[in-house]
Every structure is written in C-alpha cells, then in structure tokens.
Amino acid sequence: MPRVMNFNAGPAALPSDVLELAQQELLDYQGTGMSIMEHSHRGKAYSAVHDDAVSLVREVLKVSDDYEVLFLQGGASTQFAVLPMNLLKAGQSADYIMTGSWSKKAFGEAKTVGTVRSACSTEVDKKFVRVPKQRELDLDPKAAYCHFTTNNTIAGTQFDAFPDSGQVPLVADMSSDILWRPTDVSKFGMIYAGAQKNIGPSGLALVIIRKDLVEAGREDIPKIFQYRTHASNNSLYHTPPTFAIYMLRNVLARLKKNGGLGAVEKHNRAKGKLLYDAIEARPDFYRCPVEEGSRSLMNVVFNLNTPELEASFIEKAQAAGMVGLKGHRSVGGVRASIYNGASIEWLEALASFMNDFHKDA
Amino acid sequence: MPRVMNFNAGPAALPSDVLELAQQELLDYQGTGMSIMEHSHRGKAYSAVHDDAVSLVREVLKVSDDYEVLFLQGGASTQFAVLPMNLLKAGQSADYIMTGSWSKKAFGEAKTVGTVRSACSTEVDKKFVRVPKQRELDLDPKAAYCHFTTNNTIAGTQFDAFPDSGQVPLVADMSSDILWRPTDVSKFGMIYAGAQKNIGPSGLALVIIRKDLVEAGREDIPKIFQYRTHASNNSLYHTPPTFAIYMLRNVLARLKKNGGLGAVEKHNRAKGKLLYDAIEARPDFYRCPVEEGSRSLMNVVFNLNTPELEASFIEKAQAAGMVGLKGHRSVGGVRASIYNGASIEWLEALASFMNDFHKDA
C-alpha cells in the first residue's frame, strides 16, 4: 500500500526518508551487526548517536551553554508533575496561563505538588477559541515560574508572540509545535515537549532548561525526578529510550540538511495558508471557530454545517487517502494536524478535496 | 555485516525474526500505509496491537484477573520511586532485601519517599556473591511491602526460590529475568521490569500489580504516578511508547508460538549449563565468583587470573564476533548476558572460544 496522507494529531507522520533509513539499518546499524535497539546505551555506537542528538538540538534551536538539553521519558504529561516537583518550593506559587485541556492538566498536576494560580484563562462556555494578549495576563512577579502551552492541539490555537513574564522564568509546553520555526530559547526558563508530533516516535520528552534552574531544584525528591540527575549524567542516568533518540537524531539531521528552522517555518506557513484559504474561500460551508491571530499552524480545526456533513467529509477524505481528520472527541468537528512531517502536497490534496466536497454537497 | 553474537547486559539482543518483521512493516503497518509509530494511540490499528500485548502478557505469564497489566515509561528506575509513592504511607515501613546495586538504588529512592528498612543484605567487602536464604531474612510482618531483585545483573546472582514474605505483599524487580521461565504471579503483590533485557527495546516498563494494591494506593500524588490512573485507562492515560509496545507484542507472540515459558526455561537452562560447564572445566583458568545455588542464568560473570588476560579474552572474543562481554565497570571481569534473545549456538560458540583461548594462553 502506498503511504497515506496522515493528519493524525500525534503520534503523527514521520518523514518517509527518516523511516526508510531506520528500516535499512534495523538489523545492522552501520555495519555493527546489531540493531541500534540492541546496542548498549554506554557503548560506542549508541553514544555517538546520543551525543549527535544533543548537538543537533543545540545547533538547530541555537541553544546556548546556559541551558541543559535532556532526553527524558514519560512524555509531557510526566513533566506536568516533575516541573513543579523540582521548581515549586514551599511558600512559593507558580502562574499558569490557561488556554486549553493541556494547560488544565498541567495545572491540575502542579496543584498536587504545591501552590498554583491561574494568571489568565481564555475559556468561555467550556471552549477556548483564542490565546490571551499580554495585557490580559495577571502575573505574579514573585512566581516560581510562569507556565503556558504554546500550541493547543484540541482548540487549534497557537501563540504567535510569547507571553512576557519579566524576571519570572517562563516555562513552555511546546509538545505540539516545537521546531516549527526558529525560536529564541533565551526567553525561556524551560521548554519541554513530548516527541510524538514534530520530533519522533512517542516515549521521549525533550527538556531544555536553564542551568541555574537545574541547580536550584529541590534535592529532597527521588533522584530520578531531579533534573540535576539527568543533567549531570547527559541523560544516561538510567537506560534512555535509545531507539526514540536515534529517530530524533535522524529527524533533526534531515531538518538541518533541508535548511534548518527557517526553511521549516516557510514550509509550515505555506501549508497553513493553503488550508485556511480553503476554509475561508467557502465561508458558508466551512468555518474555523478560532479567532484570527490565534489560529494554529499545527492543528487546523474547522466545522461544517452539521455533524452528519462532518462525518461524511471525514469518511470521504479517508477513502481519498487522507487519514486522521476527525476532531478531538471532546470537541468534534474536523481537525487537520499538519506538523513538520506533513508535506505541502498533502495540503494541496486536502484543499482540492475540500473544493470538490463542497461542489458535490 | 552478518548479525553478531550480542552478550550485552541491556539493551540486549532481540530475536532476529522479531526485528525482521518490524523492518518489513516499518513504513506500512499491515497495509495501512503508515508506520505503527505514526498511528494514533487511540486508533484501530494501534489499539489492536496494544490489547494484544496486554492479552499476551496475561496468557504467557498466566496472570489472573486479580492483577492489572500496565505499560509504563521510565524503566524500572522510575518504579523505584513510584512504588513507594503509591504504596508506602505515613506511619508505615517497607522491607528491602539487599542483593546488589539495583536493590540499593531502589532502597535509596524509597528512602526519599518514606520509611524503609533493610531486611537482609548479602554484601561482604562491597561484593554480593550470593542471594540470601529464607532463614536470613528479618522480615517486618507489618511492612507495607517487601521488595527484592530477582536477578542481579552486575553481581551475576539470581533467586531460584523466591522469598516468602507471608501476608506482606512481595514486590519484585524482575527487569533482568522476567519471562525466563514460568513464574507463579499469584505469589506477588507486584512485579515490574524494564523491557530492555527479555521484553523489547528500552523505554518501556511492564508492571503487573494486584488490584487491591492499586486501589489502596495514595490519591494525593500526581495522577501520572498513580497506578490507578493507568489501570483505569488501560495504559492509555497519556501517549504510550507505541513502538516499544508493538515490539513487546511481537516478542511475546514469538515466545508463545515457540512453546511458551516452559520451552524458554529449557532453552535457558541448556545455555547456562554450557557456559558454567566451560568455566568449571578449567578451574585454574576461569573462576566464577558467585556461590553455587545463587548463580544467574541470565548474567554469567567470571574472572581470569589477571585483568590483562581478561582484557585479551574480551578483545579476542570481539574479533570472533562476540560482543558485550566486558564486566560491569564497577566490578570488572567478564560478563556474558544470555537473556532470552541469546541463542544456544552463541553459547556453543562462546564455550568453544573459551576452550581455544585457554589452550592458546
């Protein structure tokens, strides 16, 4: 079967050439007679992959030496708890900017660890159709950190300009849009992201954290949850998810070869334009519930006039080789997740399908 | 390059046919036009793999309905902390049987969470050359649980008969010998294991836990660390490491097809005998430091008369296609890890090499 057009929200599409390389090497990684999965995480072959992966994260995202680059397990959901366990101490409070389900989950987990407050919420009638403006933020200048979600996969919203938290360390869950464009890492205390959208397979979380925050973290929690443990062991304190890191390495090497994040951004903006244009060309037929200025270039959500029409759209799209277009079960509608792994050709095909579907309806 | 004989301690050798299947399906999982890595963890294709993986664990290990089967992230090292976070409450104490580095790490992490005591240690002069007998155990009948490590990868020791903890839930870290033989799960409150020895690639932990312990677990810790969260969501509370679970499924399907754990045990006993016989046939030349009755059938450790001779042994073995034979950096010597993925032919080759090396020395 030819490869389908995969609009899944995550785990998501990976570049075919990255998968092809993994396939070629699966039983014999570079003439070692073993799969990369079978190599010791302390051996020469894997160590080179691991170090290369760290270097590529640093190079592609221009991460300065003031930051640690960590490969952890448990996805972003584990960081929801591990972040406050490290950085939220007794007597302190942390700010959370609430823009969707994932912010709520992060907030909920932090609440079991310490004191947290909502610095803003854009929820109206159980829906989040926009991200807040800077002037709406009620920020605590003494907060341990200020947390937000850069891109909201379910609501289909995304921050263009990031919040300014002043001297308070800004912490971003970038799970669904890391690497989508050049990012000034120096604005952040910490960035974290589950790998399964723009980075590689699931089971890996990338954490980029300022060294002073690592140092300041609590020392009375289990070692495995202390950022310093992983920082001082180059993420080899325990056996890392070696295959996922190998895939991350290959995704980043390809991204670098293809022109880096500048080229990625151009590509993603062109993809997003194709889709939003297709929606707006037929405003009586397709509607995007997200306010302009907050619209995500990673997860494009839209509605048709009835749930039946939406179901028919999704079914016919699937028949045309486009999978994963069903909206999140909590909000319904249509969602096209168009992460870095989605090609411009897929977006052209989707836009063209939308045109045809409208004509036939 | 032909596949080498891989005696790594973990990540370890995987069966070639399991890797070949993964290779075939890597870009197109069963005609879906996508890699299993690219499928949504809530979609039909992956759900079938996931449910099949749970069923196979239950079937192969004869796990009754009194137990949950969970797929978690963070390896066994994360369970060192998560176990006491769930099951060790204020006012309680937990017993730890100390048989090596891993027991010590588990003990150390639990100490940051609550009160723990050593129920026994076989450490003498910083070495662990045996596991304890039942009569040596100083067990607390009121302990929250009693923890031990079934197989010690560094020391090369293994429990044949398991400790009897009476009414106290017995908790076993089986990372390095789960699935090596039929195991009576009903003797345990909980079994956990990192995947990267006998189960699949790294980045996955298998947890088998009695339902009453799940229910009794603390509710005031972050949700992501509560066993009940994963139990009530069939390990799909957050995105699981889908590729690793797919590999686990394939490893177990193969194991079942090849006769189940009875056949695996027979195979492993034959492999161990070949190697221990080769050591004992030349007692002036090869020495196993581990006491009889405690010798591991997963990690066979032995010494030659000088570190130079050991280095030469390891180097020449490598030249003969046998990799991963260097002992753990904390103890030196030679170590052959002969998990389920190691074939009898590899052991015949190693035994024959030992014979030749002795002759030539």
Side-chain angles (χ1 to χ4, degrees):
Chain A
M1 165 117 184
R3 302 256 303 153
V4 295
M5 293 173 266
N6 178 356
F7 296 102
N8 274 327
L14 289 162
S16 293
D17 46 0
V18 168
L19 287 168
E20 278 157 14
L21 178 62
Q23 183 177 45
Q24 274 166 35
E25 297 185 333
L26 206 75
L27 276 91
D28 181 12
Y29 176 68
Q30 304 210 338
T32 57
M34 290 155 60
S35 177
I36 191 67
M37 280 178 258
E38 301 176 294
H39 274 277
S40 167
H41 58 297
R42 306 203 186 276
K44 213 186 284 182
Y46 176 73
S47 294
V49 169
H50 189 92
D51 293 345
D52 204 18
V54 174
S55 299
L56 280 163
V57 171
R58 288 197 177 277
E59 185 180 348
V60 164
L61 277 165
K62 296 190 172 44
V63 181
S64 83
D65 284 347
D66 295 336
Y67 290 78
E68 300 284 357
V69 171
L70 309 178
F71 299 137
L72 304 180
Q73 295 182 53
S77 295
T78 300
Q79 294 308 310
F80 294 168
V82 169
L83 160 68
M85 284 166 72
N86 276 270
L87 299 186
L88 183 51
K89 298 181 185 176
Q92 288 186 309
S93 168
D95 275 354
Y96 280 72
I97 297 172
M98 312 298 282
T99 55
S101 304
W102 299 110
S103 316
K104 281 186 176 182
K105 281 201 176 184
F107 185 79
E109 289 292 63
K111 220 158 58 169
T112 68
V113 175
T115 306
V116 286
R117 60 189 280 282
S118 165
C120 179
S121 171
T122 54
E123 185 170 16
V124 176
D125 293 338
K126 297 191 175 175
K127 284 185 186 152
F128 294 89
V129 297
R130 63 184 187 89
V131 296
K133 300 208 166 12
Q134 180 70 26
R135 63 172 183 275
E136 296 177 82
L137 305 179
D138 167 30
L139 296 172
D140 172 4
K142 292 188 171 166
Y145 57 83
C146 173
H147 179 278
F148 78 114
T149 315
T150 50
N151 181 75
N152 299 280
T153 50
I154 298 175
T157 65
Q158 187 175 25
F159 280 86
D160 183 19
F162 296 129
D164 179 354
S165 58
Q167 293 305 305
V168 171
L170 187 62
V171 175
D173 173 2
M174 284 197 190
S175 292
S176 52
D177 70 352
I178 193 163
L179 300 173
W180 89 272
R181 65 171 175 182
T183 300
D184 182 357
V185 171
S186 74
K187 287 189 174 168
F188 295 88
M190 172 170 143
I191 290 169
Y192 66 98
Q196 67 271 16
K197 282 98 155 66
N198 272 344
I199 300 179
S202 61
L204 172 65
L206 171 63
V207 172
I208 302 171
I209 177 169
R210 235 168 52 203
K211 286 179 177 169
D212 63 305
L213 295 175
V214 172
E215 289 310 313
R218 280 175 61 172
E219 299 185 74
D220 58 346
I221 59 173
K223 267 192 191 163
I224 194 82
F225 298 132
Q226 294 181 33
Y227 290 126
R228 71 171 55 74
T229 301
H230 302 288
S232 61
N233 287 284
N234 189 26
S235 304
L236 291 161
Y237 170 71
H238 64 147
T239 316
T242 53
F243 183 73
I245 293 170
Y246 158 79
M247 291 295 288
L248 171 149
R249 195 273 305 252
N250 295 348
V251 166
L252 286 179
R254 174 184 181 276
L255 190 155
K256 179 184 159 188
K257 200 184 71 184
N258 291 349
L261 290 179
V264 172
E265 179 174 11
K266 212 173 136 190
H267 185 238
N268 280 325
R269 289 202 182 274
K271 281 155 53 184
K273 187 170 174 356
L274 271 170
L275 194 42
Y276 283 113
D277 281 355
I279 294 168
E280 290 181 3
R282 295 156 200 91
D284 294 340
F285 197 73
Y286 298 115
R287 269 169 308 102
C288 174
V290 179
E291 284 188 11
E292 276 199 63
S294 290
R295 291 183 176 175
S296 171
L297 286 166
M298 296 286 108
N299 310 94
V300 179
V301 300
F302 57 97
N303 291 95
L304 285 78
N305 288 326
T306 65
E308 291 71 30
L309 209 53
E310 287 168 347
S312 164
F313 179 93
I314 292 160
E315 196 190 319
K316 286 187 180 162
Q318 175 127 13
M322 291 172 255
V323 307
L325 286 168
K326 201 171 171 181
H328 190 268
R329 61 197 186 286
S330 64
V331 295
V334 181
R335 171 175 58 179
S337 296
I338 53 173
Y339 303 118
N340 291 356
S343 73
I344 195 104
E345 290 76 20
W346 297 2
L347 274 296
E348 286 164 353
L350 179 54
S352 159
F353 173 80
M354 287 169 72
N355 191 15
D356 294 346
F357 186 82
H358 170 250
K359 262 195 251 161
D360 297 347
Chain B
M1 165 118 184
R3 301 254 304 153
V4 295
M5 293 173 267
N6 178 356
F7 296 102
N8 274 328
L14 288 163
S16 294
D17 44 1
V18 169
L19 287 168
E20 279 157 14
L21 177 62
Q23 184 176 45
Q24 276 166 34
E25 297 184 332
L26 207 75
L27 275 91
D28 181 12
Y29 176 69
Q30 304 210 338
T32 58
M34 291 155 60
S35 177
I36 191 69
M37 279 178 258
E38 301 176 294
H39 274 278
S40 166
H41 58 297
R42 305 202 187 277
K44 214 187 281 183
Y46 176 73
S47 293
V49 169
H50 190 91
D51 293 345
D52 204 18
V54 174
S55 297
L56 279 163
V57 171
R58 288 197 176 277
E59 185 180 348
V60 164
L61 276 165
K62 296 189 171 52
V63 181
S64 83
D65 284 346
D66 295 336
Y67 290 79
E68 300 284 358
V69 170
L70 308 178
F71 299 137
L72 304 179
Q73 294 182 52
S77 294
T78 300
Q79 294 308 309
F80 293 169
V82 170
L83 160 67
M85 283 166 74
N86 275 270
L87 300 185
L88 183 51
K89 298 181 184 174
Q92 289 186 309
S93 168
D95 276 355
Y96 279 73
I97 297 171
M98 311 298 283
T99 56
S101 304
W102 299 110
S103 316
K104 281 187 177 181
K105 282 202 175 184
F107 185 80
E109 289 291 63
K111 221 159 56 172
T112 68
V113 175
T115 306
V116 285
R117 59 190 282 282
S118 164
C120 179
S121 171
T122 54
E123 185 168 17
V124 176
D125 294 337
K126 298 192 175 175
K127 284 183 185 151
F128 293 89
V129 298
R130 63 184 187 87
V131 295
K133 298 206 166 18
Q134 180 69 28
R135 63 170 183 275
E136 297 178 79
L137 306 180
D138 168 30
L139 297 172
D140 172 4
K142 291 187 173 170
Y145 58 82
C146 173
H147 179 277
F148 78 114
T149 315
T150 49
N151 180 77
N152 299 279
T153 49
I154 298 174
T157 64
Q158 188 175 25
F159 281 86
D160 184 17
F162 296 129
D164 179 353
S165 57
Q167 292 306 304
V168 171
L170 187 62
V171 175
D173 174 2
M174 284 198 190
S175 292
S176 52
D177 69 353
I178 194 164
L179 299 174
W180 89 272
R181 64 170 175 181
T183 300
D184 183 357
V185 171
S186 74
K187 285 187 175 168
F188 296 87
M190 173 172 142
I191 291 169
Y192 66 97
Q196 67 271 18
K197 283 95 154 70
N198 273 344
I199 298 179
S202 60
L204 173 65
L206 170 63
V207 172
I208 302 170
I209 179 170
R210 236 168 50 202
K211 287 179 178 170
D212 63 304
L213 296 174
V214 172
E215 289 310 314
R218 280 175 60 172
E219 299 185 76
D220 58 346
I221 59 173
K223 267 193 190 163
I224 194 81
F225 298 133
Q226 294 181 35
Y227 290 126
R228 72 169 58 72
T229 301
H230 303 287
S232 62
N233 287 284
N234 189 27
S235 303
L236 291 161
Y237 171 71
H238 64 146
T239 315
T242 54
F243 184 72
I245 293 170
Y246 159 79
M247 292 295 287
L248 169 148
R249 194 273 305 251
N250 295 348
V251 166
L252 285 180
R254 175 184 180 274
L255 190 156
K256 179 183 159 188
K257 199 184 72 186
N258 290 349
L261 290 178
V264 172
E265 177 174 11
K266 212 173 139 190
H267 185 239
N268 280 324
R269 289 202 182 276
K271 280 154 55 185
K273 187 171 175 355
L274 271 169
L275 193 43
Y276 283 113
D277 282 356
I279 294 168
E280 289 182 3
R282 295 154 200 91
D284 295 340
F285 196 72
Y286 298 115
R287 268 167 309 100
C288 173
V290 179
E291 284 189 10
E292 277 199 63
S294 291
R295 292 183 176 175
S296 171
L297 286 166
M298 296 287 108
N299 310 93
V300 178
V301 301
F302 57 97
N303 292 94
L304 284 77
N305 288 327
T306 65
E308 292 72 28
L309 209 52
E310 288 169 346
S312 163
F313 179 92
I314 291 160
E315 195 191 320
K316 288 188 179 160
Q318 175 127 12
M322 290 173 253
V323 307
L325 286 167
K326 201 169 171 182
H328 190 268
R329 61 196 185 286
S330 65
V331 295
V334 180
R335 170 174 60 176
S337 296
I338 54 173
Y339 302 118
N340 290 356
S343 73
I344 195 105
E345 290 75 20
W346 296 3
L347 273 297
E348 285 164 355
L350 178 55
S352 160
F353 172 80
M354 288 170 71
N355 191 17
D356 294 347
F357 186 83
H358 170 250
K359 261 194 250 159
D360 297 346

